[in-house]
Amino acid sequence: MTLDTEPDLSDFSRIDFSNGAVAAVSGGSDSTALLLLLKAHLDRNAPATKLLAVTIDHRLRPQAAAEAQAVARLCAARGIAHRVLAWSGRKPSTGLPAAAREARYRLLAEAAEAAGIGLILTGHTADDQAETVLMRQARDEWARDEWARDEWARDERPSDERPSDGGQSDDGRREEGRGLAGMAPATLYDWRHWIVRPLLGVRREALREFLRREQVAWIEDPTNADTAFERPRVRAALAEGDGAPRVAEAIALARKVAAEREQLGRRAAMLIRSLASRPAAGLVRLNRDFATESDSGAAIYALRILLAATGGTAFLPDQARSEALFGRLRTGPLCATLSRTVIDARRTGIFLHRELRDLPPAVEVSDNALWDGRRRITLGDSSGALLIAPLLVAPLGAALAAKRAIAGHGTPASLVRAALAAEPALWRDGECLGLPGEGPGLPGEGPMPAAVAAYPAVAPFARFLPSFDLAPADAVAALLGAAPVPASPFGGHSAGLPRAKA
């Protein structure tokens, strides 16, 4: 197994490298092997492909800068472009792993953006996958006990969790099962950059054996053995005698749950496409047949995604509460609130819109800002009107919404007004200029800056979209008028979980 032959470690041929690749390289064994294997593959099959290695210095250890320079020397010797980016600023006193991970992905995305590359590769292995599954399994078991005593509050979410690949509801309670799919083979970050994990089916020791054969050294990060953190504790437990079968069981479980999650997502997407419509901005209508759908599992999952998307939450609503809500929808009219969303079930349909409580305060307009989790604010040419005085974005409000709401197609005007009231409007010096991108405002309103637009965002997937959830995310994007999901990085192949290799 050398760089002169196709290593039986990762099938890079499934990945579309037409827009180049950023390789995240810390200097550890996994990422170093990833870089060398990727470079060899591209040299053989696509030598013109732009490859950039990026090392993130989290500035958490004094040795990190020297380690980054060691990666730079390796890249220089192999003819690979390389950048070092630092996580600057104060570090949090709690939740450090999650904050470091968020900073890492942000910096990698910035490097990819600057280089004109849309694909980021990381060296996560089958060992990492098994650790992730076992961590989430343990949390599920802990959450079941805690939930029974109703002691898990919103601010006690596990610090090493994130909405990207996890299974957590928006009130902080773990949703059993969903997160056991582990890390997805690919995750769309910020709706723009694919993060691909081509080594998820490869054991770490196989990568280290490969590096030994190539006589390439790697860096051992001491924090990987610091049992003050959860993942190192799980890693140490797996290093014991029964570690191998536990890894195999965890990988098998992840593969099974991932397949179930994808299948459920496809069924939910079919319901969204066939039974959901958008009669007005910020307003979703479900056909009354939705409440009597025989595939209740898919219907509840679709409902949870739509509630999160309408309310602008990064987490899906709690499973049990969503099941109870769906049961009430079957019984007749109701008006309820869940996940910042008003559910108004009437004879003419089931309507969803953002509740008017807890809307964001007025903030100055900035490019690519995610407003209320629901709208992506963008700026074009910032000259002219934008420079006259500060331009703010804030909710339109009920009074102005009443002037604009026009009922139609069986949609009550009161619901259109309620939905519009929660939409983002542009303001200057206390004067409403109108809704971004709508053209001239109403009589009496100031001139609308044409450079500002507000595009719908698919809230639960706006930051992290695992490839498990592509079908429902694409369906909701089409429903809301959001940008479509970028093309899969797998060149038309299935994004299913890779098979583990010894």
Side-chain angles (χ1 to χ4, degrees):
M1 181 173 57
T2 71
L3 289 177
D4 297 326
T5 61
E6 184 72 43
D8 185 24
L9 291 176
S10 180
D11 186 7
F12 289 107
S13 64
R14 299 176 61 237
I15 303 173
D16 181 3
F17 290 107
S18 57
N19 291 321
V22 165
V25 186
S26 66
S29 60
D30 306 345
S31 61
T32 300
L34 168 71
L35 179 65
L36 299 187
L37 292 169
L38 176 59
K39 179 66 163 61
H41 171 81
L42 295 178
D43 285 348
R44 286 191 301 270
N45 299 285
T49 298
K50 188 173 186 178
L51 174 61
L52 172 66
V54 175
T55 302
I56 306 300
D57 179 358
H58 295 90
R59 294 188 173 174
L60 297 174
R61 297 181 297 111
Q63 304 91 339
E67 293 168 356
Q69 290 307 308
V71 176
R73 290 191 294 272
L74 173 66
C75 290
R78 304 277 173 155
I80 302 171
H82 178 253
R83 286 189 65 187
V84 178
L85 297 178
W87 180 26
S88 57
R90 297 181 62 182
K91 307 301 187 285
S93 57
T94 61
L96 184 59
R101 180 176 49 244
E102 172 64 27
R104 182 162 61 250
Y105 285 135
R106 175 178 56 80
L107 291 170
L108 288 169
E110 289 175 2
E113 187 81 18
I117 296 173
L119 188 65
I120 300 167
L121 279 73
T122 67
H124 293 102
T125 66
D127 297 74
D128 294 313
Q129 183 74 301
E131 293 160 8
T132 298
V133 171
L134 291 173
M135 287 160 58
R136 292 177 179 173
Q137 196 171 39
R139 291 174 192 165
D140 281 346
E141 295 171 357
W142 175 75
R144 282 195 294 270
D145 294 339
E146 291 295 296
W147 196 359
R149 294 190 294 271
D150 198 27
E151 292 177 355
W152 193 358
R154 178 183 295 271
D155 61 351
E156 294 176 313
R157 290 176 180 160
S159 62
D160 198 34
E161 188 57 69
R162 70 175 189 275
S164 60
D165 294 334
Q168 190 166 352
S169 58
D170 74 345
D171 66 351
R173 294 170 177 167
R174 291 284 301 170
E175 175 196 345
E176 292 182 38
R178 176 180 166 84
L180 299 183
M183 293 179 285
T187 296
L188 185 64
Y189 176 76
D190 212 22
W191 210 258
R192 291 186 295 176
H193 299 284
W194 280 108
I195 300 170
V196 181
R197 305 176 179 98
L199 304 181
L200 276 184
V202 186
R203 294 297 306 273
R204 177 171 293 115
E205 185 53 37
L207 295 174
R208 292 187 169 188
E209 178 59 26
F210 163 69
L211 292 177
R212 293 186 192 103
R213 289 175 183 269
E214 293 300 316
Q215 299 182 352
V216 175
W218 64 86
I219 297 165
E220 294 284 3
D221 184 346
T223 58
N224 288 332
D226 186 353
T227 55
F229 299 106
E230 181 181 17
R231 187 175 292 274
R233 291 197 298 272
V234 174
R235 185 168 299 172
L238 288 176
E240 298 174 355
D242 63 344
R246 292 185 66 195
V247 169
E249 290 171 3
I251 294 295
L253 176 61
R255 188 180 300 117
K256 174 179 178 293
V257 175
E260 293 171 349
R261 180 165 159 180
E262 288 185 22
Q263 203 274 339
L264 180 63
R266 286 192 291 270
R267 286 157 38 212
M270 290 179 61
L271 293 179
I272 292 170
R273 292 185 183 279
S274 61
L275 298 176
S277 60
R278 181 169 55 99
L283 186 63
V284 171
R285 177 186 179 273
L286 292 169
N287 190 295
R288 284 297 316 180
D289 292 341
F290 182 86
T292 58
E293 170 59 42
S294 58
D295 187 355
S296 59
I300 292 169
Y301 188 42
L303 178 62
R304 297 176 70 205
I305 294 172
L306 290 173
L307 288 171
T310 304
T313 61
F315 299 103
L316 301 186
D318 171 63
Q319 174 78 23
R321 293 179 184 176
S322 300
E323 290 173 354
L325 172 63
F326 185 72
R328 292 178 62 194
L329 290 175
R330 291 174 178 260
T331 63
L334 70 85
C335 188
T337 303
L338 180 60
S339 198
R340 305 200 318 187
T341 296
V342 175
I343 305 95
D344 194 324
R346 306 186 179 196
R347 180 182 55 81
T348 53
I350 302 167
F351 296 91
L352 311 178
H353 64 84
R354 172 70 161 93
E355 66 174 333
L356 295 181
R357 293 185 302 171
D358 300 323
L359 286 166
V363 294
E364 191 165 340
V365 170
S366 60
D367 193 30
N368 201 38
L370 188 61
W371 185 85
D372 196 40
R374 300 180 293 128
R375 299 290 182 268
R376 182 76 65 180
I377 308 297
T378 62
L379 300 178
D381 180 8
S382 61
S383 62
L386 294 183
L387 300 180
I388 296 173
L391 187 65
L392 305 178
V393 58
L396 180 65
L400 292 176
K403 299 179 181 180
R404 296 167 175 269
I406 301 176
H409 306 290
T411 305
S414 60
L415 292 177
V416 177
R417 289 195 296 270
L420 282 177
E423 287 295 288
L426 297 179
W427 299 74
R428 177 179 285 131
D429 294 332
E431 177 186 32
C432 180
L433 308 183
L435 303 175
E438 72 167 1
L442 293 178
E445 294 181 349
M448 168 63 65
V452 184
Y455 299 101
V458 184
F461 308 122
R463 194 65 165 164
F464 292 98
L465 168 58
S467 53
F468 306 136
D469 302 322
L470 286 180
D474 196 52
V476 175
L479 171 68
L480 300 181
V485 177
S488 166
F490 293 109
H493 294 278
S494 168
L497 196 69
R499 294 184 181 275
K501 300 176 183 177

